[in-house]
Coordinates of all heavy atoms in Angstrom, one line a residue:
M27 N 10.8 3.8 5.5 CA 10.8 2.4 5.7 C 10.3 2.1 7.1 O 10.6 2.8 8.1 CB 12.2 1.8 5.6 CG 12.2 0.3 5.9 SD 13.9 -0.4 5.8 CE 14.3 -0.3 4.1
S28 N 9.5 1.1 7.3 CA 8.9 0.7 8.5 C 10.0 0.2 9.4 O 11.0 -0.4 9.0 CB 7.9 -0.4 8.4 OG 7.6 -1.0 9.6
E29 N 9.9 0.4 10.7 CA 10.9 -0.1 11.6 C 10.4 -1.4 12.3 O 11.0 -1.8 13.3 CB 11.3 1.0 12.7 CG 12.0 2.2 12.0 CD 12.4 3.2 13.0 OE1 12.5 2.9 14.2 OE2 12.7 4.3 12.6
R30 N 9.4 -1.9 11.8 CA 8.8 -3.1 12.4 C 9.6 -4.3 11.9 O 9.8 -4.5 10.7 CB 7.3 -3.3 12.0 CG 6.7 -4.5 12.5 CD 5.2 -4.5 12.3 NE 4.7 -5.8 12.5 CZ 4.1 -6.6 11.7 NH1 3.9 -6.1 10.4 NH2 3.6 -7.7 12.0
A31 N 10.1 -5.1 12.8 CA 10.9 -6.3 12.4 C 9.9 -7.5 12.1 O 8.9 -7.6 12.7 CB 11.8 -6.7 13.5
V32 N 10.2 -8.2 11.0 CA 9.4 -9.4 10.7 C 10.4 -10.5 10.5 O 11.6 -10.3 10.2 CB 8.6 -9.2 9.4 CG1 7.5 -8.1 9.6 CG2 9.5 -8.8 8.2
R33 N 9.9 -11.7 10.7 CA 10.7 -12.9 10.5 C 10.4 -13.5 9.1 O 9.2 -13.7 8.8 CB 10.5 -13.9 11.6 CG 11.2 -15.2 11.3 CD 11.4 -16.0 12.6 NE 12.4 -15.3 13.4 CZ 12.7 -15.7 14.6 NH1 12.1 -16.8 15.2 NH2 13.6 -15.1 15.3
I34 N 11.4 -13.8 8.3 CA 11.2 -14.5 7.1 C 12.0 -15.8 7.1 O 12.8 -15.9 8.1 CB 11.6 -13.7 5.8 CG1 13.1 -13.4 5.8 CG2 10.8 -12.4 5.8 CD1 13.5 -12.8 4.4
W35 N 11.8 -16.6 6.2 CA 12.6 -17.9 6.2 C 13.3 -18.0 4.8 O 12.7 -17.9 3.8 CB 11.6 -19.1 6.3 CG 10.8 -19.0 7.6 CD1 9.7 -18.3 7.9 CD2 11.2 -19.6 8.9 NE1 9.4 -18.4 9.2 CE2 10.3 -19.2 9.8 CE3 12.3 -20.4 9.3 CZ2 10.4 -19.6 11.2 CZ3 12.4 -20.8 10.6 CH2 11.4 -20.4 11.5
I36 N 14.6 -18.2 4.9 CA 15.5 -18.3 3.8 C 16.0 -19.7 3.8 O 16.8 -20.1 4.6 CB 16.6 -17.3 3.7 CG1 16.0 -15.9 3.7 CG2 17.5 -17.5 2.5 CD1 17.1 -14.8 3.8
D37 N 15.5 -20.5 2.9 CA 15.9 -22.0 2.8 C 15.9 -22.6 4.2 O 16.8 -23.2 4.7 CB 17.4 -22.1 2.3 CG 17.4 -21.6 0.8 OD1 16.5 -21.7 0.1 OD2 18.5 -21.1 0.5
E38 N 14.7 -22.4 4.9 CA 14.4 -23.0 6.2 C 15.1 -22.3 7.3 O 15.0 -22.7 8.5 CB 14.6 -24.5 6.2 CG 14.1 -25.2 5.1 CD 12.6 -25.0 4.9 OE1 11.9 -24.8 5.9 OE2 12.1 -25.0 3.7
R39 N 15.9 -21.3 7.0 CA 16.6 -20.5 8.1 C 15.9 -19.3 8.5 O 15.5 -18.5 7.6 CB 18.0 -20.2 7.6 CG 18.8 -19.3 8.7 CD 20.3 -19.3 8.3 NE 20.6 -18.7 7.0 CZ 21.4 -17.7 6.8 NH1 21.9 -17.0 7.8 NH2 21.6 -17.3 5.6
A40 N 15.6 -19.1 9.8 CA 14.9 -17.9 10.2 C 15.8 -16.7 10.1 O 17.0 -16.7 10.6 CB 14.4 -18.1 11.6
V41 N 15.3 -15.6 9.5 CA 16.0 -14.3 9.4 C 15.1 -13.2 9.7 O 14.0 -13.1 9.2 CB 16.6 -14.2 7.9 CG1 17.2 -12.8 7.8 CG2 17.5 -15.3 7.6
D42 N 15.5 -12.3 10.7 CA 14.7 -11.2 11.1 C 15.2 -10.0 10.3 O 16.4 -9.7 10.2 CB 14.8 -10.9 12.6 CG 14.2 -12.1 13.4 OD1 13.3 -12.7 12.9 OD2 14.8 -12.4 14.4
V43 N 14.2 -9.3 9.7 CA 14.5 -8.1 8.9 C 13.5 -7.0 9.2 O 12.4 -7.3 9.7 CB 14.5 -8.4 7.4 CG1 15.5 -9.4 7.0 CG2 13.1 -8.8 6.9
E44 N 13.8 -5.8 8.8 CA 12.7 -4.7 8.9 C 11.7 -5.0 7.8 O 12.1 -5.3 6.6 CB 13.4 -3.4 8.6 CG 14.1 -2.9 9.8 CD 14.6 -1.4 9.6 OE1 14.0 -0.7 8.8 OE2 15.6 -1.1 10.2
E45 N 10.4 -4.9 8.1 CA 9.4 -5.1 7.2 C 9.6 -4.1 6.0 O 9.9 -2.9 6.2 CB 8.0 -4.8 7.8 CG 6.8 -5.1 7.0 CD 5.5 -4.9 7.7 OE1 5.4 -4.0 8.5 OE2 4.6 -5.7 7.5
G46 N 9.4 -4.6 4.8 CA 9.6 -3.7 3.6 C 11.0 -3.8 3.0 O 11.2 -3.4 1.9
T47 N 12.0 -4.4 3.8 CA 13.3 -4.6 3.2 C 13.1 -5.5 2.0 O 12.3 -6.4 2.0 CB 14.2 -5.3 4.2 OG1 14.3 -4.5 5.3 CG2 15.5 -5.7 3.6
T48 N 13.8 -5.3 0.9 CA 13.6 -6.2 -0.2 C 14.2 -7.6 0.1 O 15.1 -7.7 0.9 CB 14.3 -5.7 -1.5 OG1 15.7 -5.7 -1.3 CG2 13.8 -4.3 -1.9
V49 N 13.6 -8.6 -0.5 CA 14.2 -9.9 -0.3 C 15.6 -10.0 -0.8 O 16.4 -10.6 -0.1 CB 13.3 -10.9 -1.1 CG1 14.0 -12.3 -1.1 CG2 11.9 -11.0 -0.6
G50 N 16.0 -9.3 -1.8 CA 17.4 -9.3 -2.2 C 18.3 -8.7 -1.2 O 19.3 -9.3 -0.9
A51 N 17.9 -7.6 -0.5 CA 18.7 -7.1 0.6 C 18.8 -8.0 1.7 O 19.8 -8.2 2.4 CB 18.1 -5.7 1.0
A52 N 17.6 -8.7 2.0 CA 17.6 -9.6 3.1 C 18.6 -10.8 2.9 O 19.3 -11.3 3.8 CB 16.2 -10.2 3.4
L53 N 18.6 -11.3 1.6 CA 19.5 -12.4 1.3 C 20.9 -11.9 1.4 O 21.8 -12.6 2.0 CB 19.2 -12.8 -0.2 CG 18.0 -13.7 -0.4 CD1 17.6 -13.6 -1.8 CD2 18.2 -15.1 0.1
W54 N 21.2 -10.7 0.9 CA 22.6 -10.2 1.0 C 23.0 -10.0 2.4 O 24.1 -10.4 2.8 CB 22.6 -8.8 0.2 CG 24.0 -8.4 -0.1 CD1 24.7 -7.5 0.7 CD2 24.8 -8.6 -1.2 NE1 26.0 -7.3 0.1 CE2 26.0 -8.0 -1.1 CE3 24.5 -9.4 -2.4 CZ2 27.0 -8.1 -2.0 CZ3 25.5 -9.5 -3.3 CH2 26.7 -8.8 -3.1
N55 N 22.1 -9.5 3.3 CA 22.5 -9.3 4.7 C 22.6 -10.6 5.4 O 23.4 -10.6 6.4 CB 21.4 -8.4 5.4 CG 21.4 -7.0 4.9 OD1 22.4 -6.5 4.4 ND2 20.3 -6.3 5.1
A56 N 22.0 -11.6 4.9 CA 22.1 -13.0 5.5 C 23.3 -13.7 4.9 O 23.5 -14.9 5.2 CB 20.8 -13.8 5.3
R57 N 24.1 -13.0 4.2 CA 25.4 -13.5 3.6 C 25.1 -14.6 2.5 O 25.9 -15.5 2.3 CB 26.3 -14.1 4.6 CG 26.7 -13.1 5.7 CD 27.5 -12.0 5.2 NE 28.0 -11.2 6.2 CZ 27.5 -10.0 6.5 NH1 26.5 -9.5 5.9 NH2 28.1 -9.2 7.5
V58 N 23.9 -14.5 1.9 CA 23.6 -15.4 0.7 C 23.9 -14.5 -0.5 O 23.2 -13.6 -0.8 CB 22.1 -15.8 0.7 CG1 21.9 -16.7 -0.5 CG2 21.8 -16.5 2.0
I59 N 25.1 -14.8 -1.1 CA 25.6 -13.9 -2.2 C 25.2 -14.4 -3.6 O 24.8 -13.6 -4.4 CB 27.1 -13.7 -2.1 CG1 27.5 -13.3 -0.6 CG2 27.6 -12.7 -3.1 CD1 26.9 -12.0 -0.1
R60 N 25.4 -15.6 -3.8 CA 25.0 -16.3 -5.1 C 23.9 -17.2 -4.8 O 24.1 -18.2 -4.1 CB 26.2 -17.0 -5.7 CG 27.4 -16.2 -5.9 CD 27.3 -15.4 -7.2 NE 28.5 -14.6 -7.4 CZ 28.4 -13.3 -7.6 NH1 27.3 -12.6 -7.5 NH2 29.5 -12.6 -7.8
W61 N 22.7 -17.0 -5.4 CA 21.6 -17.8 -5.0 C 20.9 -18.5 -6.1 O 19.8 -19.1 -5.9 CB 20.6 -17.1 -4.1 CG 20.0 -15.8 -4.7 CD1 19.0 -15.8 -5.7 CD2 20.2 -14.5 -4.3 NE1 18.6 -14.5 -5.9 CE2 19.4 -13.7 -5.1 CE3 21.1 -13.9 -3.4 CZ2 19.4 -12.3 -4.9 CZ3 21.1 -12.6 -3.2 CH2 20.2 -11.8 -4.0
R62 N 21.5 -18.5 -7.3 CA 21.0 -19.3 -8.4 C 22.1 -19.9 -9.1 O 23.3 -19.6 -9.0 CB 20.3 -18.3 -9.4 CG 19.0 -18.1 -9.3 CD 18.3 -17.3 -10.5 NE 19.1 -16.6 -11.5 CZ 19.3 -17.1 -12.7 NH1 18.8 -18.3 -13.0 NH2 20.0 -16.4 -13.6
T63 N 21.8 -20.9 -10.0 CA 22.8 -21.5 -10.8 C 22.3 -21.5 -12.2 O 21.2 -22.0 -12.5 CB 23.1 -23.0 -10.3 OG1 23.4 -23.0 -9.0 CG2 24.2 -23.6 -11.1
A64 N 23.1 -21.0 -13.1 CA 22.8 -21.0 -14.5 C 22.8 -22.4 -15.1 O 23.3 -23.3 -14.5 CB 23.8 -20.1 -15.3
V65 N 22.2 -22.5 -16.2 CA 22.1 -23.9 -16.9 C 23.5 -24.5 -17.0 O 23.6 -25.7 -16.8 CB 21.4 -23.7 -18.3 CG1 21.4 -25.1 -19.0 CG2 19.9 -23.3 -18.1
G66 N 24.5 -23.7 -17.3 CA 25.8 -24.1 -17.5 C 26.6 -24.4 -16.2 O 27.7 -24.8 -16.2
G67 N 25.9 -24.2 -15.0 CA 26.5 -24.4 -13.8 C 27.2 -23.2 -13.1 O 27.7 -23.3 -12.0
T68 N 27.1 -22.1 -13.8 CA 27.7 -20.9 -13.2 C 26.9 -20.3 -12.1 O 25.7 -20.1 -12.2 CB 27.8 -19.8 -14.3 OG1 28.5 -20.3 -15.4 CG2 28.6 -18.6 -13.8
P69 N 27.5 -20.0 -10.9 CA 26.7 -19.4 -9.9 C 26.3 -18.0 -10.3 O 27.0 -17.2 -10.9 CB 27.7 -19.3 -8.7 CG 29.0 -19.5 -9.3 CD 28.9 -20.2 -10.6
R70 N 25.0 -17.6 -9.9 CA 24.5 -16.3 -10.3 C 23.9 -15.6 -9.1 O 23.6 -16.2 -8.1 CB 23.3 -16.5 -11.3 CG 23.6 -17.4 -12.5 CD 24.8 -16.8 -13.3 NE 24.4 -15.6 -14.0 CZ 24.6 -15.4 -15.2 NH1 25.2 -16.3 -16.0 NH2 24.2 -14.2 -15.8
G71 N 23.9 -14.3 -9.2 CA 23.3 -13.5 -8.1 C 22.8 -12.2 -8.7 O 22.8 -12.0 -9.9
P72 N 22.4 -11.3 -7.9 CA 21.8 -10.0 -8.4 C 22.9 -9.2 -9.1 O 24.0 -9.2 -8.9 CB 21.4 -9.3 -7.1 CG 22.3 -9.8 -6.0 CD 22.5 -11.3 -6.4
L73 N 22.3 -8.5 -10.1 CA 23.2 -7.6 -10.9 C 22.8 -6.2 -10.9 O 23.5 -5.3 -10.5 CB 23.3 -8.2 -12.4 CG 24.2 -7.4 -13.3 CD1 25.6 -7.5 -12.9 CD2 24.0 -8.0 -14.7
C74 N 21.5 -5.9 -11.3 CA 21.1 -4.6 -11.5 C 20.4 -4.0 -10.2 O 20.4 -2.8 -10.0 CB 20.1 -4.5 -12.6 SG 18.5 -5.2 -12.3
A75 N 19.7 -4.8 -9.4 CA 19.0 -4.4 -8.2 C 17.8 -3.4 -8.6 O 17.4 -2.7 -7.7 CB 19.9 -3.8 -7.2
M76 N 17.3 -3.5 -9.8 CA 16.2 -2.6 -10.2 C 15.2 -3.3 -11.1 O 14.4 -2.6 -11.7 CB 16.7 -1.3 -10.8 CG 17.5 -1.5 -12.0 SD 18.1 0.2 -12.6 CE 18.5 -0.2 -14.2
G77 N 15.3 -4.6 -11.1 CA 14.2 -5.3 -11.8 C 14.4 -5.6 -13.3 O 13.4 -6.1 -13.9
T78 N 15.5 -5.3 -13.8 CA 15.7 -5.5 -15.3 C 16.5 -6.7 -15.7 O 16.3 -7.2 -16.8 CB 16.3 -4.3 -15.9 OG1 17.6 -4.0 -15.4 CG2 15.4 -3.0 -15.7
C79 N 17.4 -7.3 -14.9 CA 18.2 -8.3 -15.4 C 17.7 -9.7 -15.1 O 18.1 -10.7 -15.7 CB 19.6 -8.2 -14.8 SG 19.7 -8.6 -13.0
F80 N 16.8 -9.9 -14.2 CA 16.2 -11.2 -13.8 C 17.3 -12.2 -13.2 O 17.0 -13.3 -13.1 CB 15.5 -11.8 -14.9 CG 14.2 -11.1 -15.2 CD1 14.2 -9.9 -15.9 CD2 13.0 -11.7 -14.9 CE1 13.0 -9.3 -16.2 CE2 11.8 -11.1 -15.2 CZ 11.8 -9.8 -15.8
E81 N 18.4 -11.7 -12.8 CA 19.4 -12.6 -12.2 C 19.2 -12.9 -10.7 O 19.9 -13.7 -10.2 CB 20.8 -11.9 -12.4 CG 21.3 -11.8 -13.8 CD 21.6 -13.2 -14.4 OE1 21.7 -14.2 -13.7 OE2 21.8 -13.2 -15.6
C82 N 18.2 -12.3 -10.2 CA 18.0 -12.4 -8.7 C 16.8 -13.3 -8.4 O 16.2 -13.3 -7.3 CB 17.8 -11.1 -8.1 SG 16.3 -10.2 -8.7
R83 N 16.3 -14.1 -9.4 CA 15.1 -14.9 -9.2 C 15.2 -15.9 -8.1 O 16.2 -16.6 -8.0 CB 14.7 -15.6 -10.5 CG 14.2 -14.6 -11.6 CD 14.1 -15.3 -12.9 NE 15.4 -15.5 -13.5 CZ 15.7 -16.4 -14.4 NH1 14.7 -17.1 -14.9 NH2 16.9 -16.5 -14.9
V84 N 14.2 -16.0 -7.3 CA 14.0 -16.9 -6.2 C 12.6 -17.4 -6.2 O 11.7 -16.9 -6.8 CB 14.4 -16.3 -4.8 CG1 15.9 -16.0 -4.8 CG2 13.5 -15.1 -4.6
E85 N 12.4 -18.4 -5.4 CA 11.0 -18.9 -5.1 C 10.5 -18.2 -3.9 O 11.2 -18.2 -2.9 CB 11.0 -20.4 -5.0 CG 9.6 -21.0 -4.8 CD 9.6 -22.5 -4.6 OE1 10.1 -23.2 -5.5 OE2 9.2 -22.9 -3.5
I86 N 9.4 -17.6 -3.9 CA 8.8 -17.0 -2.8 C 7.4 -17.5 -2.5 O 6.5 -17.5 -3.4 CB 8.7 -15.4 -2.9 CG1 10.1 -14.8 -3.1 CG2 8.0 -14.8 -1.8 CD1 10.2 -13.4 -3.4
D87 N 7.2 -18.1 -1.4 CA 5.9 -18.7 -1.0 C 5.4 -19.6 -2.1 O 4.2 -19.6 -2.4 CB 4.9 -17.6 -0.7 CG 5.2 -16.8 0.6 OD1 5.9 -17.3 1.4 OD2 4.8 -15.6 0.7
G88 N 6.3 -20.4 -2.6 CA 5.9 -21.4 -3.6 C 5.8 -20.9 -5.0 O 5.5 -21.7 -5.9
V89 N 6.0 -19.7 -5.2 CA 6.0 -19.1 -6.6 C 7.4 -18.9 -7.1 O 8.1 -18.1 -6.5 CB 5.2 -17.8 -6.6 CG1 5.1 -17.2 -8.0 CG2 3.8 -18.0 -6.0
R90 N 7.7 -19.6 -8.2 CA 9.1 -19.5 -8.8 C 9.3 -18.2 -9.5 O 8.3 -17.5 -9.9 CB 9.3 -20.7 -9.7 CG 9.3 -22.0 -9.0 CD 9.5 -23.1 -10.0 NE 10.8 -22.8 -10.7 CZ 11.2 -23.5 -11.7 NH1 10.5 -24.4 -12.2 NH2 12.4 -23.2 -12.3
D91 N 10.5 -17.9 -9.7 CA 11.0 -16.8 -10.6 C 10.5 -15.4 -10.2 O 10.2 -14.6 -11.0 CB 10.6 -17.1 -12.0 CG 11.3 -18.3 -12.6 OD1 12.4 -18.6 -12.1 OD2 10.8 -18.9 -13.5
R92 N 10.4 -15.2 -8.9 CA 10.1 -13.8 -8.4 C 11.4 -13.1 -8.3 O 12.5 -13.6 -7.8 CB 9.5 -13.9 -7.0 CG 8.2 -14.8 -6.9 CD 7.2 -14.3 -7.9 NE 6.8 -12.9 -7.7 CZ 5.7 -12.5 -7.1 NH1 4.9 -13.4 -6.6 NH2 5.4 -11.2 -7.0
R93 N 11.4 -11.8 -8.6 CA 12.7 -11.0 -8.6 C 12.9 -10.5 -7.1 O 12.1 -9.7 -6.7 CB 12.6 -9.9 -9.6 CG 12.8 -10.3 -11.0 CD 12.5 -9.3 -12.0 NE 11.1 -9.0 -12.1 CZ 10.5 -8.1 -12.8 NH1 11.3 -7.3 -13.5 NH2 9.2 -8.0 -12.8
A94 N 13.9 -11.0 -6.5 CA 14.2 -10.7 -5.1 C 14.4 -9.2 -4.9 O 14.1 -8.7 -3.9 CB 15.4 -11.5 -4.6
C95 N 14.9 -8.5 -5.9 CA 15.3 -7.1 -5.7 C 14.0 -6.2 -5.7 O 14.1 -5.1 -5.3 CB 16.2 -6.6 -6.8 SG 15.5 -6.5 -8.5
L96 N 12.9 -6.8 -6.1 CA 11.6 -6.0 -6.2 C 10.6 -6.4 -5.1 O 9.7 -5.6 -4.8 CB 10.9 -6.2 -7.5 CG 11.7 -5.7 -8.7 CD1 10.9 -5.9 -10.0 CD2 12.1 -4.2 -8.6
E97 N 10.8 -7.5 -4.4 CA 9.8 -8.0 -3.5 C 10.1 -7.6 -2.1 O 11.2 -7.8 -1.5 CB 9.9 -9.6 -3.5 CG 9.4 -10.2 -4.7 CD 7.9 -10.1 -4.9 OE1 7.2 -9.9 -3.8 OE2 7.4 -10.1 -6.0
P98 N 9.2 -6.8 -1.4 CA 9.4 -6.5 0.0 C 9.1 -7.7 0.9 O 8.2 -8.5 0.6 CB 8.3 -5.4 0.2 CG 7.3 -5.6 -0.9 CD 8.0 -6.3 -2.0
C99 N 9.9 -7.7 1.9 CA 9.7 -8.8 2.9 C 8.4 -8.6 3.7 O 8.1 -7.5 4.1 CB 10.9 -8.9 3.9 SG 12.5 -9.4 3.1
R100 N 7.7 -9.7 3.9 CA 6.5 -9.8 4.7 C 6.7 -10.8 5.7 O 7.4 -11.8 5.6 CB 5.3 -10.1 3.8 CG 5.0 -9.0 2.8 CD 3.8 -9.4 1.9 NE 4.0 -10.7 1.3 CZ 4.6 -11.0 0.2 NH1 5.1 -10.0 -0.5 NH2 4.7 -12.2 -0.3
A101 N 6.0 -10.7 6.8 CA 6.1 -11.7 7.9 C 5.8 -13.1 7.4 O 4.9 -13.3 6.6 CB 5.1 -11.3 9.0
D102 N 6.7 -14.0 7.8 CA 6.5 -15.4 7.5 C 6.7 -15.8 6.1 O 6.4 -16.9 5.7 CB 5.2 -16.0 8.0 CG 5.4 -17.3 8.7 OD1 6.5 -17.6 9.2 OD2 4.4 -18.0 8.8
M103 N 7.3 -14.9 5.3 CA 7.6 -15.2 3.9 C 8.6 -16.3 3.8 O 9.5 -16.4 4.6 CB 8.1 -13.9 3.2 CG 8.5 -14.0 1.8 SD 9.2 -12.4 1.3 CE 7.8 -11.8 0.5
R104 N 8.4 -17.2 2.8 CA 9.3 -18.3 2.6 C 10.0 -18.1 1.3 O 9.4 -18.1 0.3 CB 8.5 -19.7 2.5 CG 7.6 -19.9 3.7 CD 8.4 -20.4 4.9 NE 7.5 -20.3 6.1 CZ 7.7 -21.1 7.2 NH1 8.7 -21.9 7.2 NH2 7.0 -21.0 8.2
V105 N 11.3 -18.0 1.4 CA 12.2 -17.8 0.3 C 13.1 -19.0 0.1 O 13.7 -19.5 1.0 CB 13.1 -16.5 0.5 CG1 14.0 -16.3 -0.7 CG2 12.2 -15.3 0.8
R106 N 13.1 -19.5 -1.2 CA 13.9 -20.6 -1.5 C 14.9 -20.2 -2.6 O 14.5 -19.7 -3.7 CB 13.0 -21.8 -1.9 CG 13.8 -23.1 -2.2 CD 13.0 -24.3 -2.4 NE 12.1 -24.5 -1.2 CZ 12.4 -25.1 -0.1 NH1 13.7 -25.5 0.1 NH2 11.6 -25.3 0.9
T107 N 16.1 -20.5 -2.4 CA 17.2 -20.1 -3.4 C 17.6 -21.4 -4.1 O 17.1 -22.5 -3.8 CB 18.4 -19.5 -2.7 OG1 19.0 -20.5 -1.9 CG2 18.1 -18.3 -1.9
G108 N 18.5 -21.3 -5.1 CA 19.0 -22.5 -5.7 C 18.4 -22.8 -7.0 O 18.7 -23.8 -7.6
G109 N 17.4 -22.0 -7.5 CA 16.7 -22.3 -8.8 C 17.6 -22.0 -10.0 O 18.7 -21.7 -9.9
Ligands
LIG230 S1 18.9 -7.8 -9.6 FE1 18.3 -7.5 -11.6 S2 16.2 -8.0 -11.7 FE2 16.8 -8.2 -9.6

């Protein structure tokens, strides 16, 4: 893993992480534990951390339904939770 720190934005909040850290790990480290809401109102968050359950979907740089557990953080990435 690269040791270069990059700044990403989680719901307009600046968060510094090591480049290549997954978005899911960055969210977890930023204490964002439940970042989606199911149709029935149940709070949801990551389950498998390997790309199969789709419970970790977030919006990244304006693109909805990206799996946070698979996406590496890049400088100035914009992550939006709550979908
Ligand atoms: S946590 Fe299961 S797909 Fe990301």
Side-chain angles (χ1 to χ4, degrees):
M27 176 183 296
S28 167
E29 295 184 16
R30 180 173 169 240
V32 294
R33 174 162 290 176
I34 67 169
W35 300 86
I36 299 174
D37 297 327
E38 312 304 328
R39 177 167 56 122
V41 176
D42 295 327
V43 300
E44 285 186 26
E45 186 175 38
T47 299
T48 65
V49 171
L53 285 160
W54 195 269
N55 289 340
R57 306 291 188 257
V58 181
I59 308 302
R60 302 278 182 237
W61 57 75
R62 266 187 352 98
T63 304
V65 173
T68 308
R70 310 298 291 229
L73 182 62
C74 71
M76 60 183 197
T78 59
C79 74
F80 288 74
E81 292 291 349
C82 64
R83 288 171 287 161
V84 293
E85 181 180 303
I86 298 176
D87 293 335
V89 180
R90 295 182 56 191
D91 296 334
R92 305 303 304 261
R93 285 172 286 176
C95 69
L96 298 181
E97 291 287 336
C99 292
R100 298 178 303 276
D102 222 23
M103 176 182 264
R104 306 283 168 155
V105 178
R106 185 170 302 280
T107 65

